Amino acid sequence: MHKFIHITDIHLVEQGRALYGHDPGKRFERCIDSVIAEHADAAFCVITGDLAHVGHPDAYRQLSEQCARLPMPVHLILGNHDSRTNFRERFPQVPVDSNGFVQYEQAIGRFRGLFLDTNEPGTHCGVFCEQRANWLSQRLAEDDSPVLLFMHHPAFHLGIPVADRIGLVDNEWLLTALKGHEHRVKHLFFGHIHRPISGTWRGIPFSTLRGTNHQVALHLRESEDIPGSFEPPQYAVVLLDDDSVIVHLHDFLDRSERFWLGA
């Protein structure tokens, strides 16, 4: 099987500063420690946005240093908390499309991995405009290979009203780009929600997971503010073969007792 690691919403701040009472840099460092110790054989790692909490240059410096520890390539995309300018200054090697959006393609075994940019300065909502959608349409038109999609914002409502209000503002351009290709998208990976959620959307399987510093509490009623929590941080271990996409969620700081179960 082809293995890769999915991490999201690390929210790095200036080194030594706390965010909601935790040090996101230390949390992310422990996440990387776990990947190295337990899954160093993974083909790559992807981090689906909110790399920084306020887009501070020092956050991207820390990100670069931690990613350099991994024995595998790391693919990065932007979230609503990120600064495209500061990110590009630290990571000029990450591809962009002809309009400067952080969108690119990466082969993943027999799959085409397509990494999308939903960052829009000045808002926490996601945007996938005509220009970004044209790039996706062109990639999908190139052949009939199966596709894995990666983006920060969910493209649809998830039943958490306060989070749904800061999802993708309008998914019409995304739907236009995907039209006729939905059956080829074997999985959609995203972040933003800080919760483990899976399901299908327009026949496309999807999954997301908790962040590495803080979470969004499960609250399915209307509320003015986003309810936070300190549920255990996660990363996902994804296994691919010709017939399946399997997503395992790993609470990497969990220290509950482990033992062998009898037959």
Side-chain angles (χ1 to χ4, degrees):
M1 277 188 157
H2 200 84
K3 177 198 283 190
F4 71 86
I5 304 300
H6 178 198
I7 302 171
T8 197
D9 294 276
I10 58 180
H11 287 262
L12 296 175
V13 295
E14 292 177 80
Q15 188 164 11
R17 290 184 177 271
L19 179 63
Y20 305 121
H22 287 307
D23 183 336
K26 291 292 186 183
R27 283 285 184 107
F28 183 53
E29 181 179 1
R30 295 179 71 180
C31 176
I32 296 300
D33 289 344
S34 174
V35 173
I36 293 170
E38 301 175 64
H39 301 287
D41 60 334
F44 69 92
C45 173
V46 56
I47 309 179
T48 51
D50 281 358
L51 312 170
H53 187 64
V54 293
H56 195 282
D58 190 59
Y60 298 118
R61 177 192 62 79
Q62 295 172 67
L63 175 62
S64 177
E65 291 176 358
Q66 290 299 323
C67 289
R69 297 173 56 214
L70 288 169
M72 65 199 73
V74 181
H75 305 312
L76 304 170
I77 58 176
L78 301 182
N80 49 291
H81 283 266
D82 287 304
S83 162
R84 190 179 287 111
T85 299
N86 291 343
F87 172 81
R88 292 286 297 138
E89 288 181 358
R90 175 59 64 168
F91 296 96
Q93 74 278 13
V94 176
V96 296
D97 67 15
S98 60
N99 294 298
F101 295 112
V102 183
Q103 302 198 132
Y104 55 95
E105 177 180 351
Q106 181 67 42
I108 304 174
R110 73 183 189 93
F111 299 88
R112 295 179 69 183
L114 299 178
F115 299 79
L116 308 182
D117 185 339
T118 59
N119 170 284
E120 185 71 13
T123 179
H124 285 299
C125 298
V127 171
F128 198 70
C129 60
E130 182 178 8
Q131 290 178 324
R132 289 176 253 206
N134 286 340
W135 179 90
L136 178 57
S137 295
Q138 291 165 13
R139 301 290 78 72
L140 291 171
E142 288 171 349
D143 61 34
D144 294 324
S145 300
V147 169
L148 301 176
L149 280 183
F150 300 86
M151 58 197 299
H152 179 69
H153 292 82
F156 44 89
H157 285 181
L158 293 164
I160 303 175
V162 68
D164 289 340
R165 289 199 294 270
I166 56 170
L168 212 60
V169 171
D170 184 346
N171 66 8
E172 286 305 313
W173 284 114
L174 178 63
L175 291 175
T176 298
L178 291 174
K179 188 174 182 179
H181 300 282
E182 293 90 346
H183 66 286
R184 294 173 51 203
V185 182
K186 301 306 180 183
H187 206 88
L188 168 61
F189 298 88
F190 58 87
H192 192 53
I193 305 300
H194 294 240
R195 290 216 56 77
I197 307 172
S198 61
T200 59
W201 169 67
R202 294 178 174 263
I204 299 172
F206 70 82
S207 63
T208 186
L209 63 157
R210 298 187 190 121
T212 58
N213 188 70
H214 57 279
Q215 318 309 337
V216 173
L218 181 60
H219 186 82
L220 303 182
R221 300 181 301 278
E222 287 285 351
S223 62
E224 183 175 342
D225 296 320
I226 299 174
S229 72
F230 286 127
E231 297 165 70
Q234 295 178 324
Y235 62 82
V237 182
V238 184
L239 304 177
L240 307 172
D241 65 17
D242 288 345
D243 300 316
S244 61
V245 178
I246 308 297
V247 180
H248 295 275
L249 299 181
H250 181 31
D251 298 347
F252 61 89
L253 293 185
D254 176 40
R255 295 296 179 263
S256 57
E257 184 179 359
R258 297 188 182 188
F259 51 92
W260 297 109
L261 299 176

